[in-house]
């Protein structure tokens, strides 16, 4: 049916439990198959076996270097103080400073933040930007906070972790529930806490800032643009022409919205979107620009006038060329995977597919383009922003687009090469391509003393 059938998949024949039990036992991790962190580490360790990563390097990567947990009070609009819980996990800095977003979401948990930090280590390595991996989060519901409360949560969280981060040490960025405005407050707070004479150089403490405050042009659309660059490299080989294809989206926030608009510009037809407010469908195509304006006003796609409402089941079953999950983790379980009608799933979100979902999709011959490749455009342009800040220069939109395209296309080719070299599926191949670079660095530098 597609290229995936042409490559023998040795991944499926291995018993992950057997492969990882040594590392898990040594680290005293009691394996829980529903735990996202355990799932992520297992996937990384499968790839580690393929590339022959040394045992001590596997042990290093199986746990984050630092796990920071903070509690901080915030004055709410009603005059009361509420205590919030925040995390910053610094997984690995072998390739450069810790790097990764800050998420504001009611379900933020330590294990989820740890998984997302591991994914950042792998993502940065795969696209060969000189950063390590980190992630942060605050357990809160930004939809229920006023603008002032959101600002105070951001500023207090920044001050709570300010001693543990730094512009050349650990650099946060936007993620689910945060945006350029949140980064502006974060940067301002950090700068206010630093000695006056160092302030100009500390804007690099976060990326994804507004352009007026040192952000890079193209950062806002970067994850969507990077995904389109990957599709350009991958889809023709799978017999899909972007200008003629049909596609559906899960999520219509930054990643989903930009992906929808950029693909529509290229002639692709967006036929359905699913988000927290429901699923909408129009076989003749949804207008991505009008949908963006509608979502900005109402907060979700539900009730959009240019479409009919459908059930989640009908949404997943739609017969389209491409499905892009661009919302939260673990949305595609075995249940959704068994009814997905798309030929290709390109993971715009981090970890949207569970291991069981993965297995069902692979068995059904659905091609999966993995998350650490598909959504690496965001951190790549974050790196460009950091470099521009460090050099006090600004790049043109064309320069950013062209450099991003180079990183994404090379990363996609790396994954395809790894897939043939190690005879494995695309997800394992993406981790293999990432681990090769990390392993080489550890081989060169050794372990102190
Ligand atoms: N939060 C984004 C991600 O998961 C971007 C991280 C960054 O730019 O540092 O990749």
């Amino acid at each position: 049916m597609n290229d995936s059938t042409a490559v023998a998949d040795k991944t499926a024949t291995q018993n992950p439990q057997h492969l990882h039990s040594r590392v898990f036992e040594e680290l005293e991790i009691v394996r829980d198959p529903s735990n996202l962190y355990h799932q992520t580490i297992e996937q990384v360790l499968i790839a580690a076996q393929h590339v022959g990563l040394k045992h001590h390097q596997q042990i290093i990567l199986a746990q984050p270097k630092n796990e920071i947990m903070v509690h901080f009070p915030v004055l709410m609009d009603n005059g009361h103080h509420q205590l919030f819980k925040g995390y910053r996990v610094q997984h690995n800095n072998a390739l450069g400073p810790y790097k990764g977003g800050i998420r504001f979401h009611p379900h933020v948990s330590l294990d989820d933040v740890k998984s997302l930090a591991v994914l950042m280590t792998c993502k940065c390595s795969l696209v060969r930007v000189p950063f390590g991996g980190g992630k942060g989060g605050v357990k809160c519901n930004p939809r229920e906070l006023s603008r002032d409360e959101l600002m105070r949560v951001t500023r207090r969280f920044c001050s709570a972790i300010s001693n543990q981060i730094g512009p050349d040490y650990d650099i946060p960025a936007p993620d689910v529930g945060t945006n350029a405005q949140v980064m502006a407050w974060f940067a301002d707070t950090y700068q206010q806490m630093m000695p006056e004479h160092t302030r100009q150089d500390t804007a690099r403490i976060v990326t994804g800032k507004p352009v007026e405050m040192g952000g890079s042009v193209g950062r806002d659309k970067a994850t969507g643009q990077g995904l389109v660059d990957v599709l350009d490299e991958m889809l023709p080989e799978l017999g899909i022409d972007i200008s003629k294809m049909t596609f559906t989206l899960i999520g219509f926030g930054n990643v989903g919205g930009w992906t929808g608009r950029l693909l529509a510009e290229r002639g692709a037809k967006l036929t359905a979107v699913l988000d927290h407010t429901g699923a909408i469908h129009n076989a003749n195509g949804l207008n991505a620009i009008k949908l963006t304006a509608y979502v900005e006003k109402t907060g979700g796609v539900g009730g959009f006038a240019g479409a009919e409402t459908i059930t989640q089941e009908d949404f997943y079953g739609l017969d389209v060329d491409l499905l892009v999950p661009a919302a939260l983790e673990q949305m595609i379980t075995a249940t959704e995977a068994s009814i997905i009608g798309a030929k290709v799933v390109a993971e715009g979100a981090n970890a949207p597919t569970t291991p069981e979902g993965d297995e069902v999709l692979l068995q059904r011959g659905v091609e999966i383009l993995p998350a650490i490749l598909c959504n690496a455009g965001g951190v790549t342009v974050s790196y460009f922003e950091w470099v521009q800040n460090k050099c006090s220069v600004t790049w043109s939109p064309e320069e950013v687009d062209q450099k991003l395209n180079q990183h994404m296309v090379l990363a996609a080719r790396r994954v395809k090469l790894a897939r043939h070299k190690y005879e494995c599926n695309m997800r394992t191949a993406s981790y293999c391509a990432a681990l090769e670079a990390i392993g080489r660095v550890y081989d060169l530098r050794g372990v102190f003393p």
Side-chain angles (χ1 to χ4, degrees):
M1 172 190 158
N2 57 37
D3 187 44
S4 65
T5 49
V7 183
D9 184 354
K10 290 191 177 163
T11 322
T13 62
Q14 294 164 343
N15 176 356
Q17 214 158 340
H18 168 71
L19 288 175
H20 313 132
S21 51
R22 229 180 109 204
V23 172
F24 274 52
E25 259 168 42
E26 208 167 319
L27 298 174
E28 296 180 8
I29 299 174
V30 182
R31 187 177 168 275
D32 167 6
S34 66
N35 178 300
L36 184 61
Y37 184 66
H38 296 178
Q39 291 172 12
T40 310
I41 290 300
E42 274 181 4
Q43 286 172 340
V44 170
L45 291 177
I46 290 177
Q49 301 285 330
H50 280 288
V51 303
L53 200 75
K54 297 193 173 65
H55 180 71
H56 74 274
Q57 295 168 3
Q58 295 186 30
I59 300 268
I60 292 171
L61 291 173
Q63 288 288 31
K65 272 202 167 178
N66 304 310
E67 299 172 26
I68 301 147
M69 193 191 300
V70 293
H71 293 96
F72 54 92
V74 173
L75 177 65
M76 306 307 280
D77 290 347
N78 64 9
H80 288 111
H81 287 91
Q82 191 177 321
L83 197 70
F84 287 85
K85 191 191 271 289
Y87 305 94
R88 184 71 188 168
V89 171
Q90 296 163 335
H91 174 253
N92 188 275
N93 61 352
L95 298 181
Y98 301 109
K99 185 81 189 84
I102 289 174
R103 169 173 299 201
F104 286 180
H105 194 272
H107 298 147
V108 162
S109 73
L110 179 59
D111 271 344
D112 286 0
V113 177
K114 281 166 67 176
S115 321
L116 295 163
V118 175
L119 295 178
M120 287 309 303
T121 299
C122 295
K123 204 184 294 188
C124 292
S125 176
L126 174 60
V127 286
R128 304 293 195 261
V129 299
F131 284 143
K135 199 81 173 196
V138 176
K139 195 171 161 57
C140 68
N141 187 349
R143 288 181 219 273
E144 285 171 4
L145 297 175
S146 70
R147 186 182 155 86
D148 282 352
E149 287 170 340
L150 187 65
M151 181 184 71
R152 290 195 291 269
V153 168
T154 305
R155 289 192 186 281
R156 280 302 302 245
F157 179 54
C158 174
S159 83
I161 62 167
S162 61
N163 284 336
Q164 324 267 1
I165 57 174
D168 291 301
Y169 177 63
D170 182 2
I171 305 133
D175 196 75
V176 174
T178 54
N179 55 22
Q181 174 61 77
V182 171
M183 295 306 112
W185 291 325
F186 196 103
D188 178 66
T189 309
Y190 187 83
Q191 288 178 301
Q192 295 302 324
M193 297 176 72
M194 293 298 125
E196 178 93 44
H197 65 278
T198 67
R199 276 188 199 160
Q200 294 313 321
D201 198 36
T202 49
R204 285 180 295 118
I205 186 60
V206 280
T207 57
K209 299 180 289 291
V211 174
E212 300 84 340
M213 258 185 86
S216 177
V217 289
R219 176 62 185 85
D220 196 36
K221 69 163 184 171
T223 311
Q225 183 64 62
L227 177 49
V228 174
D229 291 347
V230 169
L231 294 176
D232 265 332
E233 178 65 25
M234 300 299 216
L235 291 187
E237 290 169 22
L238 302 171
I240 298 174
D241 175 347
I242 290 193
S243 68
K244 297 198 181 83
M245 74 173 183
T246 51
F247 71 107
T248 53
L249 292 166
I250 306 177
F252 206 76
N254 174 286
V255 183
W258 274 108
T259 304
R261 291 188 296 277
L262 292 169
L263 286 177
E265 262 174 33
R266 299 279 302 276
K269 195 195 282 178
L270 172 62
T271 59
V273 183
L274 166 72
D275 78 358
H276 63 109
T277 59
I280 58 165
H281 174 241
N282 183 341
N284 296 320
L286 296 159
N287 183 318
I289 310 252
K290 284 190 182 151
L291 185 58
T292 304
Y294 179 78
V295 171
E296 266 166 24
K297 216 166 59 198
T298 65
V301 299
F304 180 59
E308 52 168 351
T309 303
I310 54 170
T311 63
Q312 282 207 21
E313 214 177 326
D314 288 342
F315 170 86
Y316 282 109
L318 288 170
D319 178 12
V320 285
D321 295 305
L322 174 74
L323 163 66
V324 180
L328 288 170
E329 297 81 46
Q330 305 211 286
M331 297 208 43
I332 302 176
T333 69
T335 312
E336 288 77 23
S338 66
I339 54 169
I340 279 176
K343 295 181 187 67
V344 178
V345 172
E347 299 181 330
N350 288 308
T353 314
T354 65
E356 294 78 24
D358 234 11
E359 223 171 285
V360 174
L361 288 177
L362 286 170
Q363 274 164 11
R364 295 185 56 225
V366 177
E367 184 71 82
I368 306 166
L369 304 180
I372 63 163
L373 171 64
C374 285
N375 69 35
V379 75
T380 302
V381 178
S382 274
Y383 167 60
F384 298 163
E385 177 175 333
W386 185 80
V387 170
Q388 290 171 75
N389 291 170
K390 213 170 159 82
C391 305
S392 290
V393 293
T394 50
W395 298 352
S396 67
E398 294 74 24
E399 197 172 351
V400 170
D401 275 355
Q402 188 230 335
K403 286 190 158 80
L404 172 63
N405 183 264
Q406 268 174 11
H407 276 270
M408 299 310 296
V409 168
L410 287 176
R413 290 183 187 160
R414 243 169 242 136
V415 175
K416 286 193 278 188
L417 272 176
R419 179 192 201 174
H420 282 272
K421 183 170 168 191
Y422 301 111
E423 300 182 345
C424 59
N425 63 51
M426 282 287 213
R427 187 179 313 286
T428 304
S430 66
Y431 289 119
C432 287
L435 292 181
E436 279 178 339
I438 298 173
R440 273 197 298 273
V441 169
Y442 272 119
D443 285 345
L444 286 166
R445 59 190 267 182
V447 176
F448 173 83

